[in-house]
Amino acid sequence: WRPTCEHRDAPAAPCVVLDCFAGSGSTLVAAQRLGRRSIGTDLSASYLGLARKRLEAVPLPLGLGMET
């Protein structure tokens, strides 16, 4: 991602992927593999549990630890 506004000198920042119908988490897993942060929501608690397990199985790329 590169800025297209008048602040072109700003450093590039990875985008955040929003999946408001996350289901089993396929989009979230793909985002994680590409080094992007992601946010997923779903009405189904069972699907969110499955998504969480899938995400935990994918190693984070270097430099994407859980910063606080």
Side-chain angles (χ1 to χ4, degrees):
W1 179 83
R2 298 280 179 233
T4 58
C5 64
E6 60 191 52
H7 305 294
R8 294 179 193 267
D9 294 333
C15 299
V16 176
V17 175
L18 172 62
D19 187 359
C20 42
F21 303 103
S24 63
S26 296
T27 299
L28 305 175
V29 168
Q32 187 164 308
R33 286 184 176 151
L34 293 171
R36 301 291 189 257
R37 294 176 184 229
S38 59
I39 301 168
T41 63
D42 203 287
L43 292 175
S44 170
S46 60
Y47 271 127
L48 289 175
L50 178 57
R52 172 175 271 187
K53 286 180 185 176
R54 291 183 68 200
L55 286 166
E56 289 172 351
V58 177
L60 287 171
L62 292 177
L64 287 180
M66 301 299 287
E67 297 94 32
T68 56

